[in-house]
Amino acid sequence: DGGITQSPKYLFRKEGQNVTLSCEQNLNHDAMYWYRQDPGQGLRLIYYSQIVNDFQKGDIAEGYSVSREKKESFPLTVTSAQKNPTAFYLCASSTLTGQGSKQPQHFGDGTRLSIL
Amino acid sequence: QKEVEQDPGPLSVPEGAIVSLNCTYSNSAFQYFMWYRQYSRKGPELLMYTYSSGNKEDGRFTAQVDKSSKYISLFIRDSQPSDSATYLCAMTETGYSTLTFGKGTMLLVSP
C-alpha cells in the first residue's frame, strides 16, 4: 500500500536534547512538508521541500532543521533551540505538476512530541 | 484579518442530519480548495478537492466554492456517528505548493 509513514508515534524529549522525527513516503511524490499542530491553532508550516537537496522555511522554522537527501525521506530535527516543542507533528507529500494544475497534499498519521 | 476563517465548533447534530461546514477567506488569488477530515490522534485525510468555483459531489459529500463571496462549504448528507471528526479547509494559489489551512471545525454526530 502506498502511503506516508511517520515514526515514532510518540516521542519524549529531555531539556537540551535534539530529537529527529522520521517521515518516509512511497508515493513517488516530489514535494514533502512538515507541519506543527497545536490545539486551537490549526496546521502551521515548518519546512517544505520540492526537490532533493533543497528545502524552504515555512512560517515557524525557528528551532527546527530538515534534510532531503532522498526523494522518499524528509526527516525533521527538533533542536534544543525550540523552547516549546510539545505538539503534534504532521508530515505530508504531494506531486508537483506545474503551474497549470495542482495535486493535493496527503498526510501521515503524525508524531506526538512531549517534554520530559 | 486572518487569511482563512473557520468556526471551531463544536457542531453537534443528530444522526441523519444534513451538515454544513464553511470557510471564508480573504485572498482572491486562491484557486484550489480542499476539505480534510481529521480523527483524533490521526493525520488529516483528504475528502474533497475542487478547482475554482462550482460544486463537486462524492457520495454523501458535496463541496461548493463561491469565489465571488470568498466562501466555501462542505455538505454532509445523512450524517453518521462515524463522521464525528474535525474538518479542515485548505486552499492555495496557482503556482504555489504550500497550503493555507483553516483552524478546523469539530463535528459531533450523536446516534
Side-chain angles (χ1 to χ4, degrees):
Chain A
D1 270 340
I4 301 170
T5 301
Q6 289 189 242
S7 62
K9 201 170 181 66
Y10 300 95
L11 187 58
F12 298 91
R13 194 191 89 169
K14 296 179 182 177
E15 292 290 338
Q17 186 181 43
N18 293 353
V19 291
T20 297
L21 284 60
S22 171
C23 179
E24 303 276 332
Q25 54 99 1
N26 60 4
L27 300 167
N28 199 32
H29 283 173
D30 306 294
M32 297 186 74
Y33 312 81
W34 274 106
Y35 293 91
R36 171 180 171 140
Q37 188 174 36
D38 296 279
Q41 291 283 337
L43 272 68
R44 292 185 289 170
L45 183 65
I46 305 173
Y47 268 98
Y48 66 103
S49 168
Q50 299 186 58
I51 194 170
V52 172
N53 292 324
D54 190 40
F55 46 83
Q56 287 75 42
K57 291 182 179 180
D59 301 318
I60 55 163
E62 187 174 348
Y64 300 96
S65 65
V66 293
S67 62
R68 186 87 186 276
E69 297 177 2
K70 299 185 295 182
K71 185 177 182 180
E72 59 270 23
S73 179
F74 192 41
L76 173 74
T77 296
V78 184
T79 74
S80 57
Q82 173 50 244
K83 297 307 179 189
N84 184 24
T86 297
F88 190 45
Y89 290 87
L90 288 160
C91 178
S93 69
S94 69
T95 298
L96 297 178
T97 55
Q99 296 282 325
S101 65
K102 188 161 302 292
Q103 298 300 314
Q105 293 178 18
H106 297 269
F107 286 82
D109 272 341
T111 293
R112 189 165 299 275
L113 176 63
S114 302
I115 295 297
L116 283 177
Chain B
Q1 184 183 8
K2 294 175 183 165
E3 273 207 290
V4 179
E5 299 269 11
Q6 191 175 6
D7 188 325
L11 175 62
S12 295
V13 300
E15 184 176 356
I18 297 174
V19 175
S20 173
L21 302 165
N22 312 294
C23 288
T24 59
Y25 61 94
S26 57
N27 186 350
S28 57
F30 285 147
Q31 292 273 19
Y32 298 86
F33 303 91
M34 285 140 271
W35 284 96
Y36 289 87
R37 177 176 63 193
Q38 186 177 22
Y39 292 113
S40 181
R41 303 180 187 276
K42 290 288 196 177
E45 169 195 2
L46 181 69
L47 280 178
M48 301 290 281
Y49 173 57
T50 54
Y51 170 69
S52 195
S53 286
N55 292 3
K56 184 174 182 179
E57 187 174 323
D58 184 0
R60 295 185 296 113
F61 299 93
T62 299
Q64 284 187 354
V65 175
D66 181 351
K67 290 192 67 183
S68 62
S69 302
K70 300 191 184 71
Y71 188 88
I72 68 170
S73 300
L74 178 70
F75 297 95
I76 307 174
R77 290 183 297 280
D78 187 25
S79 57
Q80 303 294 311
S82 59
D83 294 327
S84 298
T86 296
Y87 290 79
L88 300 160
C89 65
M91 48 199 78
T92 189
E93 306 173 37
T94 299
Y96 279 61
S97 67
T98 59
L99 298 178
T100 301
F101 283 86
K103 292 186 177 181
T105 299
M106 182 183 291
L107 172 65
L108 301 172
V109 182
S110 54

